[in-house]
């Protein structure tokens, strides 16, 4: 019975993953000009990393391993290593002696593009889930 | 909303002739299997209900998990209803049989 809904659960894992990606994007946008992040350094852009979630199980009848799909899982949120922006603003409290402020390596345009991608990916997962639901309901009509 | 246990209620007694219960082979009877599956369907309803409660009380934050479990519960119930319809059809067919 549980395998019947596996496709829906895979889609659900995709939805959860996109929610996490959206969280990191929201964090990046919110901290786009944060000059005092963790340990006093400017905020570093965060990227969510995902991994395919497979399950290997031993088939009791044949003795062979079979791989089943479990969707996607988040393996972590990593920092973006690209260089930080330096902006000339001598009046800023965090400006160095030359008048430059080190700003986070967040580009709002990139974040907006990522947000669109994330929203569309979420929609795609919802569509897959709806399709699976209607396939199941359609299969029930065979008995009518 | 409280979902009551439907495992032993009238569905099984209406749908199944008494003869099915006598199973000499010692394996699990059709009735037991049906009851087990109905319990599973009921458990799905209870799970969905619990998750909805958790979501509205703020414990659970993933709305897609709530929708997934309610969808699973609904589809399971639809399947159970279809099987019930088939059983009633079979019972009616036996009832109409000329002796």
């Amino acid at each position: 019975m549980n395998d019947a809904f596996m496709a829906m659960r895979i889609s659900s894992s995709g939805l959860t993953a996109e929610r996490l990606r959206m969280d990191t994007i929201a964090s990046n946008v919110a901290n786009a000009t944060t000059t005092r992040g963790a340990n006093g350094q400017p905020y570093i852009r965060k990227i969510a990393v995902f991994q395919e979630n497979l399950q290997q199980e031993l088939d009791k009848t044949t003795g062979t391993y079979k791989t089943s799909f479990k969707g996607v899982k988040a393996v972590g949120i990593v920092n973006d290593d690209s260089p930080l922006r330096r902006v000339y603003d001598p009046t800023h409290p965090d400006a160095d002696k030359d008048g430059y402020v080190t700003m986070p390596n967040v580009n709002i345009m990139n974040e907006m593009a990522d947000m669109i991608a994330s929203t569309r990916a979420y929609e795609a997962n919802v569509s897959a889930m709806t399709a699976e639901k209607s396939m199941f309901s359609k299969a029930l009509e065979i008995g009518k | 909303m409280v979902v009551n246990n439907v495992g032993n209620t009238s569905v099984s007694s209406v749908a199944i002739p008494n003869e099915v219960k006598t199973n000499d082979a010692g394996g699990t009877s059709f009735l037991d299997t049906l009851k087990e599956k109905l319990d599973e369907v009921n458990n799905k309803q209870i799970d969905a209900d619990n998750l909805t409660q958790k979501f509205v009380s703020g414990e659970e934050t993933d709305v897609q998990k709530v929708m997934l479990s309610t969808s699973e519960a609904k589809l399971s119930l639809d399947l159970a209803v279809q099987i019930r319809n088939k059983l009633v059809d079979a019972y009616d067919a036996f009832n109409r049989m000329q002796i």
Side-chain angles (χ1 to χ4, degrees):
Chain A
M1 198 64 201
N2 287 328
D3 276 358
F5 299 119
M6 193 45 84
M8 281 170 68
R9 286 178 189 176
I10 290 170
S11 297
S12 174
S13 78
L15 293 177
T16 311
E18 292 307 326
R19 284 281 299 269
L20 178 71
R21 189 140 76 115
M22 202 62 218
D23 285 354
T24 60
I25 293 168
S27 169
N28 291 340
V29 171
N31 287 299
T33 54
T34 304
T35 51
R36 293 175 198 180
N39 58 45
Q41 295 297 306
Y43 175 84
I44 311 284
R45 180 171 174 259
K46 305 285 188 293
I47 310 166
V49 183
F50 303 120
Q51 189 193 333
E52 188 181 16
N53 194 2
L54 295 170
Q55 191 185 42
Q56 290 237 322
E57 43 188 47
L58 187 64
D59 196 326
K60 291 187 187 71
T61 49
T62 59
T64 53
Y65 281 99
K66 87 175 180 205
T67 308
S68 58
F69 302 106
K70 289 272 182 185
V72 63
K73 67 178 173 187
V75 285
I77 296 169
V78 297
N79 287 332
D80 186 353
D81 288 334
S82 60
L84 300 170
R85 275 185 301 135
R86 281 171 63 76
V87 178
Y88 184 70
D89 184 5
T91 60
H92 198 285
D94 290 325
D96 63 7
K97 61 182 187 326
D98 299 327
Y100 279 95
V101 187
T102 315
M103 286 288 189
N105 51 354
V106 175
N107 185 340
I108 292 287
M109 298 306 155
N110 284 346
E111 298 307 318
M112 286 298 161
D114 282 354
M115 202 189 289
I116 293 169
S118 186
T119 313
R120 294 289 178 243
Y122 195 91
E123 283 176 16
N125 278 301
V126 170
S127 296
M129 207 173 197
T130 315
E132 176 62 20
K133 245 169 71 182
S134 56
M135 276 168 76
F136 193 96
S137 300
K138 215 66 186 165
L140 291 182
E141 287 179 20
I142 296 171
K144 277 182 187 165
Chain B
M1 187 177 68
V2 177
V3 180
N4 294 317
N5 195 337
V6 294
N8 296 325
T9 47
S10 55
V11 175
S12 52
S13 57
V14 166
I16 301 152
N18 285 330
E19 284 78 7
V20 185
K21 280 179 188 166
T22 55
N23 188 353
D24 297 325
T28 51
S29 72
F30 176 69
L31 189 64
D32 288 340
T33 314
L34 187 75
K35 276 180 182 168
E36 199 180 295
K37 295 297 164 195
L38 276 177
D39 273 348
E40 270 184 44
V41 172
N42 190 42
N43 283 339
K44 278 207 188 290
Q45 302 281 343
I46 292 168
D47 284 349
D49 195 39
N50 287 341
L51 212 55
T52 313
Q53 289 279 359
K54 274 188 183 173
F55 185 73
V56 294
S57 66
E59 259 182 83
E60 174 69 55
T61 52
D62 268 0
V63 69
Q64 67 267 17
K65 277 189 192 163
V66 181
M67 294 316 293
L68 174 72
S69 79
T70 46
S71 301
E72 278 188 16
K74 184 191 177 294
L75 291 174
S76 301
L77 185 64
D78 285 351
L79 178 63
V81 167
Q82 286 302 324
I83 291 170
R84 187 210 74 116
N85 289 347
K86 280 285 152 198
L87 285 170
V88 173
D89 283 352
Y91 183 64
D92 283 347
F94 277 119
N95 252 356
R96 282 193 302 271
M97 201 181 284
Q98 297 289 327
I99 305 172

